[in-house]
Amino acid sequence: METWTLSAPCHFGTEAVLKREIQRLGYEISEVDNGRVNFIGDAEAVALANIHLRTAERIMILVGDFEAQTFDELFEGVKAIHWEDFIPKDGKFWVTKASSVNSKLFSPSDIQSIAKKAMVERMKGVYHIERFEETGNAYPVRILINKNRVMVLLDTTGTSLHKRGYRQLEVEAPISETLAAALIMLTPWKWDRILIDPFCGSGTFPIEAAMMAAHIAPGLNRHFTAESWENIIPKDIWKDVRQEAYGQIIENREVDIQGFDIDDKAVRISRKNAIAAGVDHLIHFQQRGVDKLSHKKKYGFIITNPPYGERMFDKDELPDLYRSIGEAYRSLDEWSMYLITSYEDAEKYIGRKADKNRKIYNGMIKTYYYQFLGSKPPKRINPNK
């Protein structure tokens, strides 16, 4: 089966997590850059990556990679791509997005227009027609230019992979599903450890954790653009990958995953979203402020996205809020806390310097993932040994 270079963008700062995910699927990494991981894969890899990857934003086929400092060079580079290998005569094709960083070519609209003209020119010569009706399946193209390096990509995903399909309702300023998954995967949490999110909002952290615990593939219940590309990816591949993913689900996993929020509306939204995700039986949601956070067991995890004054919280209230977080955390026995925030005084009011601190971009907001580490639990003794 033919192989391609596949490109998976991700949140800045989470590349290492995505790289591990791709390697676990069995594919070779060819390049890691800021906000992107490239790997080598075939048609089955496209389906597997779209359905299984929790931290990628989309999966794209790299169809062109060249240098261009002028629009003439861009035109010729795009025209040289063998578009006929991907787009049939009746295919609908357009440049859905163009971006440019530190490059001579910087106008997205001009890049899109010239690339489209080059695609048409190439296919006119191959298909021997002057006008394309574009009545068939969609083949969206993306162009990324960085330091004059042009990457031309065919988008297999369509709607971004963070759209799992379960988040029908949202509170203000929710964290994305892909970022939440990445942040959980940056911790040592496993399904047999306690996890609490005291600012659960739309329920994203608990739901993503429950899906991991139950081995529910994140893209299992949604559609992808490339599912209609039977000229490239046979339908049986999508069917087989989905059937295998359904067979991996663990229905009766016993976990302790909890989501709290002081806002009763947020709790109701979280419950509805958990039902849509098929994991409501694995999560306990409750209306409760962070000052009421407690648990009698040791070695649990707090993983949370508290307010940090960007959109939904008065900054004057942040000191008291973060003091409450610190007091609640200190009341727990040997717990670890992972907290994403852009609030620069978070450690000051929590009352403890984080053991680790990782810079993460939540959309366009630069945030920090503070990691307060508790002790590791003692190793369990196997009575059969």
Side-chain angles (χ1 to χ4, degrees), residues 198-219:
F199 300 93
C200 69
S202 301
T204 311
F205 274 126
I207 291 170
E208 289 294 319
M211 290 176 70
M212 292 178 195
H215 290 184
I216 299 173

Side-chain angles (χ1 to χ4, degrees), residues 364-375:
M364 298 303 293
I365 302 170
K366 183 173 73 172
T367 62
Y368 295 93
Y369 195 36
Y370 293 106
Q371 304 169 51
F372 302 88
L373 308 180
S375 299

Side-chain angles (χ1 to χ4, degrees), residues 267-329:
V267 174
R268 293 196 304 271
I269 287 172
S270 294
R271 286 191 181 121
K272 288 180 180 179
N273 289 340
I275 291 169
V279 294
D280 53 301
H281 62 296
L282 299 176
I283 309 170
H284 172 68
F285 288 109
Q286 183 179 351
Q287 183 183 7
R288 183 190 294 188
V290 68
D291 57 322
K292 301 294 192 296
L293 175 60
S294 64
H295 203 292
K296 62 184 179 180
K297 292 186 178 180
K298 301 173 71 171
Y299 309 116
F301 284 76
I302 296 171
I303 304 178
T304 193
N305 174 39
Y308 35 89
E310 294 292 341
R311 282 175 286 181
M312 61 177 294
F313 208 87
D314 188 337
K315 288 191 176 183
D316 293 340
E317 300 177 43
L318 292 178
D320 286 341
L321 177 68
Y322 281 77
R323 281 194 197 96
S324 296
I325 293 172
E327 289 167 5
Y329 176 56

